[in-house]
């Protein structure tokens, strides 16, 4: 298929997944902000609940430029949900996904495009009241439902061709990136300052983190015990039966790339295989020894390398004169 | 062609229903009062949800709109259809022969049938095309011939569209919509199918591949998703099962055209391009074009890729060339035109200009190069100020205009608010050339939704209808 088309589909599904993850994160942040929470150390002010969505998404400096002054819930919500000047707001992401999809309607099934288009039409209606009292939870639920629904329509109707693989690839690349960032920020910000480790606030924060990736009840079923950082790390990094864990995402990514590379040894497949093997054969003791933060940083760095390789091989290849000449001769009749 | 009551396609002058509309009328008579309003709402909602939209140039408010769709079909008798079909095919054969001629031996110019300067000085004439062989000698692979009806078996060709005629996706989507809304009606009325259009198109495109290619790769080329007809480009690519490419997806190496794919460069043999000549190759035509592919014209000249339509067809559909189509039919085919031209005044000619300026309130005046209903004056429906203003524009550059009598376009029953009322329509059938010259039984009927209006263009508030050609059984 055309590289540009693969690129559009890949980003369309990344954008939908990112909109869902942003809704999840903001939803949990909103619930956490309702808890009694006091920052004792001024240097830790960036760990204030409403700063976390900004830090996790790497948007803090953009936010401060746009909304100078202290971080406030209504402004963070406006920035992350509706602000069309913020390319990572839910509004912008859904719009971008629809624009990417609009140019790709020939490759999708009509059900998929209808779903994507209705999502965008409804967003424009909903966004007017999304931030009014009481509406925000329902709005987040709606965003999650839209993402579930689009994934479901894709799964249920689309031909299992290359286009399908690039859509899936986008979903899992984005999801892996999100879970790693989420885990890193919580782990990093909460543990060092943890005068209250094991206290009520600590407990709520960990359970909120799990809830944001729909993993709280899974945690209970697996461990039947109190929430500890170590187990959370094990669950979200190493277990492959939790659909948003790093291991589960890499299972999918590796499978897709083996298929896309058609078993010719290509760098994307090799790199995905290496990442996958580290998670597949990794142990939690080893991770804790190196440090979870260091481990996650390395993972994110490799994931970005993998993204670069995807660009290079599939999504935005650059052909020099030599490659085209050989290709031209080999394909000429 | 008088300005008396226009011909209505459903009702005869005495108010009775014409035979080919009877079945539809009887079917509708049984329906409850809210049946049509509800179906119309359903159709509008479906079109919005399906995202079947077009963009309006110069409209800053929103870039996309749904084109209004009317749920009352336009029904055409087999005999009338045969005339339309034969007439349109005849015209396209002659126009294609004309294009081949003017880019090769120019016999029609030597014979003095058409003034040479009229063709050679036309801005749409491409001297770059002189002597270039195009596959199968086909220049116009897809043509839209705009036809109006003024009486029983009385048709006129308004204009030929030989560059990148659009609208065929509406012909196909409108039929799908009607079948979704009124499945039972299709059991009662024998409507000729149109949905094989894209199969015929693909067959024709394959047939005109460069001669050395056995398994040609066909693509549709679009200027991009912000083009007003983007929906149609995507639709056609999807229906034919071929890639929809933009200029940035293609590159030229060793005079062959390739597309960038996830499995490396792949050669392209036939390009159904929906991008104007001017923009297709910055090395050959407009250097500032970012939509085209550098070097593609050289590959075309070398016979390594087919462009459909060919470069340089615009010279044949311009309104000043239109005048000579009857002569072309005679010169190349030795036939009489099956469908007439509308009598046309050339304002570059002093007598015609004088007559036109004296009769502006009765005439339709068009720019020679204009399209889409822009830059035209419909005398009978214009105010005195509009006419005076247009007169100034004509006087500045008379040769840029033609004038025609205001035709009493036929009307068709159209659903407005809660009533069925007559509205003026035209018809654009799509003539396909490749292996042979054919068209599917149907076309795009455009309807002027405003009472009395004669302007059917979607950019000017026109809508569309499904066009039903009855199969030979009745009438």
């Amino acid at each position: 298929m055309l590289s540009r088309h693969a690129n559009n589909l890949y980003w369309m599904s990344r954008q939908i997944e990112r909109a869902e993850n942003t809704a999840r994160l903001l939803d949990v942040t909103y619930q956490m902000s309702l808890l009694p929470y006091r920052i004792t150390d001024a240097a830790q002010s960036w760990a204030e609940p409403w700063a976390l969505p900004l830090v996790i998404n790497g948007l803090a400096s953009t936010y401060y430029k746009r909304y100078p002054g202290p971080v406030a819930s209504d402004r963070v919500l406006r920035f992350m949900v509706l602000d069309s000047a913020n390319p990572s707001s839910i509004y912008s992401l859904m719009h971008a996904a629809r624009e990417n999809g609009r140019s790709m309607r020939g490759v999708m099934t009509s059900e998929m495009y209808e779903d994507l288009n209705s999502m965008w039409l409804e967003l424009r209606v909903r966004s007017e009241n999304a931030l009014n009292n009481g509406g925000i939870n329902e709005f987040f639920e709606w965003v999650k439902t839209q993402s579930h629904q689009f994934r479901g329509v894709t799964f249920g109707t689309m031909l299992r061709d290359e286009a399908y693989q690039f859509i899936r690839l986008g979903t899992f690349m984005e999801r892996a990136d999100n879970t790693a960032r989420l885990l890193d920020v919580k782990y990093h910000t909460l543990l060092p300052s943890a005068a209250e480790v094991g206290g009520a606030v600590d407990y709520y924060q960990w359970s909120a983190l799990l809830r944001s990736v729909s993993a709280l009840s899974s945690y209970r079923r697996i461990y039947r015990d109190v929430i500890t950082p170590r187990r959370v790390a094990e669950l979200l990094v190493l277990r492959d039966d939790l659909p948003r864990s790093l291991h589960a995402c890499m299972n999918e990514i590796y499978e897709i790339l083996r298929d896309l590379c058609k078993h010719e040894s290509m760098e994307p497949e090799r790199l995905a295989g290496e990442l996958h093997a580290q998670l597949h054969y990794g142990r939690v003791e080893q991770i804790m020894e190196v440090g979870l933060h260091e481990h996650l940083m390395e993972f994110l760095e490799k994931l970005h390398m993998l993204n670069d390789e995807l660009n290079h091989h599939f999504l935005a290849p650059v052909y020099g004169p030599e490659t085209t000449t050989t290709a031209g001769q080999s394909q000429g009749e | 062609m008088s300005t008396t009551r226009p011909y209505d396609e459903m009702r005869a002058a005495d108010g009775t229903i014409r035979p080919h509309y009877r079945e539809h009328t009887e079917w509708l008579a049984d329906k409850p009062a809210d049946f049509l309003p509800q179906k119309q709402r359903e159709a509008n909602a479906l079109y919005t949800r399906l995202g079947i939209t077009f963009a309006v140039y110069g409209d800053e408010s929103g870039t996309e709109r749904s084109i209004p769709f009317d749920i009352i079909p336009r029904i055409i008798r087999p005999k009338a259809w045969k005339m339309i079909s034969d007439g349109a095919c005849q015209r396209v054969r002659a126009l294609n022969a004309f294009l081949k001629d003017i880019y090769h031996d120019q016999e029609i110019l030597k014979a003095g049938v058409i003034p040479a300067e009229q063709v050679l000085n036309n801005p749409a004439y491409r001297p770059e095309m002189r002597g270039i062989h195009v596959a199968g000698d086909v220049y116009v692979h897809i043509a839209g011939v705009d036809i109006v009806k003024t009486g029983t078996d009385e048709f006129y060709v308004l204009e030929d569209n030989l560059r990148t005629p659009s609208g065929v996706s509406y012909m196909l989507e409108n039929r799908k919509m009607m079948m979704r809304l009124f499945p039972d009606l299709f059991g009662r009325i024998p409507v000729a199918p149109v949905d094989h259009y894209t199969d015929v198109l693909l067959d024709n495109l394959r047939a005109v591949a460069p001669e050395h290619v056995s398994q040609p790769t066909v693509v549709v080329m679009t200027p991009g998703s912000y083009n007003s007809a983007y929906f149609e480009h995507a639709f056609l690519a999807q229906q034919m099962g071929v890639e929809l490419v933009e200029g940035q997806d293609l590159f030229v190496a060793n005079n062959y055209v390739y597309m960038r794919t996830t499995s490396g460069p792949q050669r392209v043999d036939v390009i159904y391009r929906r991008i104007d000549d001017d923009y297709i190759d910055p090395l050959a035509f407009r250097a500032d074009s970012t939509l085209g592919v550098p070097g593609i014209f050289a590959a075309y000249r070398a016979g390594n890729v087919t462009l459909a339509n060919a470069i340089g067809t615009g010279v044949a559909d311009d309104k000043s060339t239109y005048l000579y189509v009857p002569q072309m039919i005679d010169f190349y085919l030795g036939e009489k035109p099956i469908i007439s031209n509308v009598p046309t005044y050339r304002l570059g000619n002093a007598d015609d200009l004088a007559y036109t300026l004296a009769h502006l309130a009765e005439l339709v005046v068009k720019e020679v190069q204009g399209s889409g209903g822009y830059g035209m004056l419909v005398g009978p429906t214009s105010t005195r100020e509009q006419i005076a203003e247009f007169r100034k524009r004509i006087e500045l550059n008379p040769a840029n205009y033609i004038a025609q009598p205001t035709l009493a376009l036929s009307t068709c029953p159209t659903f407005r608010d809660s009533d069925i009322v007559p509205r003026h329509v035209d018809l654009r059938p799509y003539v396909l050339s490749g292996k042979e010259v054919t068209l599917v039984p149907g076309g795009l009927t455009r309807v002027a939704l405003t009472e009395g209006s004669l302007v059917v263009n979607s950019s000017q508030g026109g809508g569309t209808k499904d066009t039903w050609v009855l199969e030979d059984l009745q009438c």
Side-chain angles (χ1 to χ4, degrees):
Chain A
M1 71 185 299
L2 286 179
S3 295
R4 181 173 53 82
H5 288 177
N7 190 53
N8 287 348
L9 292 173
Y10 176 77
W11 279 103
M12 173 189 74
S13 64
R14 281 198 78 145
Q15 281 147 351
I16 292 172
E17 179 71 21
R18 192 176 293 181
E20 177 189 340
N21 291 333
T22 304
R24 288 172 170 279
L25 177 62
L26 291 174
D27 192 17
V28 166
T29 306
Y30 182 75
Q31 292 174 29
M32 271 168 56
S33 72
L34 301 176
L35 298 173
Y37 184 87
R38 196 171 299 113
I39 293 178
T40 44
D41 181 355
Q44 293 290 322
S45 66
W46 52 275
E48 200 274 332
W50 284 107
L52 287 178
L54 304 173
V55 176
I56 288 174
N57 287 294
L59 291 169
S61 60
T62 320
Y63 171 84
Y64 286 119
K65 247 178 249 153
R66 223 168 134 62
Y67 300 96
V71 171
S73 61
D74 56 336
R75 291 189 293 171
V76 173
L77 280 172
R78 179 156 296 281
F79 179 68
M80 294 295 292
V81 174
L82 295 182
D83 195 338
S84 58
N86 170 15
S88 299
S89 71
I90 291 176
Y91 185 91
S92 300
L93 288 166
M94 284 186 154
H95 181 235
R98 190 262 189 171
E99 285 303 297
N100 272 323
R102 196 167 85 88
S103 62
M104 293 311 301
R105 51 194 299 166
V107 176
M108 292 190 257
T109 60
S110 53
E111 283 103 322
M112 286 167 71
Y113 184 71
E114 281 181 39
D115 188 63
L116 194 63
N117 199 39
S118 324
M119 174 184 91
W120 164 242
L121 296 175
E122 199 179 338
L123 174 66
R124 291 200 299 181
V125 176
R126 280 182 172 264
S127 59
E128 285 168 22
N129 288 314
L131 296 185
N132 292 350
N133 28 341
I136 195 72
N137 289 88
E138 201 212 327
F139 180 77
F140 292 141
E141 282 308 313
W142 177 80
V143 174
K144 278 162 65 178
T145 306
Q146 293 307 301
S147 174
H148 293 324
Q149 195 170 304
F150 187 72
R151 208 162 35 241
V153 171
T154 306
F155 184 78
T157 64
M158 197 175 174
L159 183 69
R160 294 320 195 241
D161 58 359
E162 243 187 305
Y164 180 76
Q165 298 287 43
F166 281 105
I167 290 177
R168 302 260 299 161
L169 191 58
T171 303
F172 293 109
M173 287 292 287
E174 183 63 34
R175 191 179 289 176
D177 180 88
N178 177 69
T179 301
R181 282 167 185 266
L182 194 70
L183 187 56
D184 181 54
V185 169
K186 287 290 180 199
Y187 196 86
H188 197 54
T189 59
L190 297 181
L191 282 195
S193 67
E196 296 180 83
V197 170
V201 170
D202 192 40
Y203 168 80
Y204 281 122
Q205 286 178 337
W206 282 111
S207 63
L209 166 66
L210 288 171
R211 260 206 322 269
S212 78
V213 291
S214 300
L216 184 58
S217 63
S218 303
Y219 184 99
R220 297 222 182 284
R221 286 182 56 150
I222 294 167
Y223 299 104
R224 300 180 188 285
D225 200 352
V226 293
I227 300 174
T228 68
R230 182 193 187 91
R231 286 186 190 136
V232 174
E234 183 186 60
L235 182 67
L236 295 186
V237 177
L238 293 179
R239 286 197 69 110
D240 72 348
D241 49 1
L242 186 87
R244 307 189 90 81
S245 79
L246 301 186
H247 189 179
C249 292
M250 283 316 300
N251 270 353
E252 303 285 346
I253 293 169
Y254 183 47
E255 273 304 307
I256 293 165
L257 285 173
R258 288 218 299 186
D259 194 41
L260 285 175
C261 294
K262 299 182 181 75
H263 304 287
E264 291 167 33
S265 59
M266 282 165 79
E267 184 58 17
E269 184 192 344
R270 192 202 64 75
L271 195 55
E274 184 186 319
L275 264 172
H276 176 254
Q278 280 172 5
L279 295 164
H280 192 69
Y281 298 109
R283 284 180 303 123
V284 71
E285 292 76 24
Q286 202 185 349
I287 291 175
M288 300 314 268
E289 213 167 278
V290 182
L292 183 59
H293 171 65
E294 287 71 16
H295 183 86
L296 291 170
M297 283 297 108
E298 195 197 327
F299 177 83
L300 280 171
E301 194 182 316
K302 286 207 172 131
L303 202 64
H304 293 161
M305 279 165 62
L306 180 56
N307 192 61
D308 290 345
E309 290 298 331
L310 295 179
N311 279 332
H312 180 69
H313 286 271
F314 301 114
L315 306 177
V318 178
Y319 300 118
E322 311 83 43
T323 43
T324 56
T325 308
T326 26
Q329 282 161 355
S330 66
Q331 297 196 7
E333 281 164 301
Chain B
M1 234 186 290
S2 64
T3 49
T4 56
R5 240 178 79 183
Y7 178 91
D8 187 77
E9 300 192 10
M10 178 171 81
R11 279 182 198 279
D14 61 5
T16 54
I17 304 290
R18 296 183 195 276
H20 58 293
Y21 266 97
R22 268 180 210 150
E23 188 68 28
H24 184 268
T25 308
E26 279 168 25
W27 167 82
L28 195 57
D30 299 342
K31 305 293 181 208
D34 62 345
F35 177 73
L36 284 182
Q38 194 219 318
K39 289 289 176 186
Q40 184 70 62
R41 281 196 299 274
E42 199 179 324
N44 296 350
L46 277 167
Y47 269 121
T48 307
R49 188 154 65 87
L50 294 168
I52 297 175
T53 58
F54 72 102
V56 182
Y57 292 120
D59 179 355
E60 302 292 326
S61 64
T63 49
E64 292 163 43
R65 257 204 254 154
S66 288
I67 194 162
F69 169 69
D70 181 65
I71 58 177
I72 310 290
R74 179 194 200 170
I75 304 176
I76 298 179
R77 293 169 302 124
K79 186 165 161 250
W81 174 252
K82 181 155 179 11
M83 195 173 157
I84 293 170
S85 168
D86 291 349
C89 288
Q90 178 193 51
R91 222 173 151 90
V92 170
R93 275 193 205 98
L95 286 161
N96 198 68
F98 169 72
L99 283 162
K100 186 191 172 193
D101 187 24
I102 59 168
Y103 289 121
H104 289 87
D105 302 333
Q106 304 189 337
E107 279 164 10
I108 199 164
L109 307 183
K110 288 177 196 155
V113 176
I114 303 179
E117 74 278 2
Q118 161 76 42
V119 172
L120 304 180
N121 296 343
N122 190 307
Y125 183 77
R126 298 282 174 196
E128 299 90 339
M129 286 296 290
R130 289 289 304 275
I132 293 182
H133 168 70
V134 300
D137 287 332
V138 181
Y139 285 78
V140 184
H141 307 81
I142 301 102
V145 182
D146 291 351
I147 295 174
V148 295
K149 184 177 169 77
T150 52
T152 314
D153 298 335
E154 201 177 292
F155 298 97
Y156 291 93
V157 172
L158 274 189
E159 63 181 33
D160 308 289
N161 295 276
L162 309 178
R163 303 172 203 213
T164 55
S166 63
V168 75
S169 58
Y170 293 103
M171 169 180 94
L172 298 168
E173 286 290 355
N174 287 352
R175 177 61 54 82
K176 272 202 270 181
M177 180 62 75
M178 290 299 274
M179 295 181 84
R180 202 161 163 170
L181 293 173
F182 310 113
D184 53 323
L185 198 45
F186 287 84
R188 294 176 66 155
I189 301 179
V191 181
V194 290
D195 55 2
H196 54 298
Y197 175 84
T198 48
D199 300 335
V200 179
L201 176 60
L202 183 58
D203 267 0
N204 277 324
L205 292 171
R206 287 206 176 115
V208 294
E211 273 114 25
H212 57 278
V213 180
S214 53
Q215 291 285 316
T217 299
V218 177
V219 299
V220 176
M221 182 178 182
T222 173
S225 62
Y226 294 99
N227 184 269
S228 65
Y230 180 75
F231 161 74
E232 177 158 306
H233 308 159
F235 175 87
L236 291 171
Q238 182 186 32
Q239 295 295 307
M240 291 193 286
V242 304
E243 293 289 359
L244 176 66
V245 304
E246 295 179 14
Q248 54 173 311
D249 298 319
L250 301 178
F251 65 94
V252 176
N254 299 336
N255 266 355
Y256 282 87
V257 181
Y258 296 89
M259 56 182 168
R260 302 170 209 275
T261 78
T262 52
S263 19
Q266 188 190 340
R267 205 187 63 215
V268 172
D269 306 301
V270 182
I271 302 176
Y272 175 16
R273 47 111 183 188
R274 296 291 295 261
I275 170 172
D276 291 343
D277 289 358
D278 275 340
Y279 295 97
I280 200 147
D281 185 346
L283 301 182
F285 305 107
R286 275 181 68 154
D288 61 342
S289 168
T290 53
L291 304 172
V293 185
I296 200 170
F297 187 68
Y300 181 59
R301 200 164 42 202
N304 293 335
V305 68
T306 300
L307 297 177
N309 291 348
I311 303 270
T313 55
V315 65
D317 74 2
D318 144 333
K319 293 187 182 70
S320 62
T321 310
Y322 162 87
L323 297 173
Y324 298 99
V325 177
Q327 284 91 318
M328 290 178 203
I329 292 173
D330 177 47
F331 186 80
Y332 296 112
L333 310 178
E335 296 171 10
K336 292 258 165 291
I338 297 168
I339 308 179
S340 312
N341 264 11
V342 182
T344 303
Y345 305 102
R346 274 173 292 157
L347 306 199
N349 170 321
D351 290 349
D352 286 5
L353 177 63
Y355 175 85
T356 301
L357 291 177
H359 295 86
L360 276 180
E362 300 153 29
L363 299 170
V364 176
V365 188
K366 296 173 180 173
E367 280 182 27
V368 171
Q369 299 275 355
S371 68
Y374 294 102
M376 68 186 272
L377 174 79
V378 181
T381 60
S382 299
T383 63
R384 206 169 292 179
E385 290 73 30
Q386 285 168 326
I387 292 176
E389 197 265 336
F390 210 88
R391 174 190 299 273
K392 282 185 208 144
R393 285 163 60 183
I394 296 172
E395 281 166 347
L396 282 176
N397 183 9
N400 193 34
Y401 295 91
I402 54 146
Q404 294 170 334
T406 309
L407 295 185
L409 302 195
S410 60
T411 55
C412 268
T414 301
F415 183 71
R416 296 300 284 163
D417 304 323
S418 54
D419 243 336
I420 294 178
V421 291
R423 288 291 183 266
H424 294 290
V425 292
D426 80 349
L427 176 69
R428 176 181 290 183
Y430 296 87
V431 182
L432 297 176
S433 308
K435 279 189 230 165
E436 49 190 14
V437 181
T438 55
L439 71 181
V440 300
L444 176 66
T445 291
R446 297 185 298 177
V447 50
L449 294 172
T450 310
E451 186 171 5
S453 169
L454 295 167
V455 185
V456 296
N457 304 78
S458 57
S459 50
Q460 311 281 315
T464 69
K465 287 170 160 296
D466 193 10
T467 309
W468 290 6
V469 174
L470 298 183
E471 296 209 301
D472 277 324
L473 307 167
Q474 20 176 98
C475 315

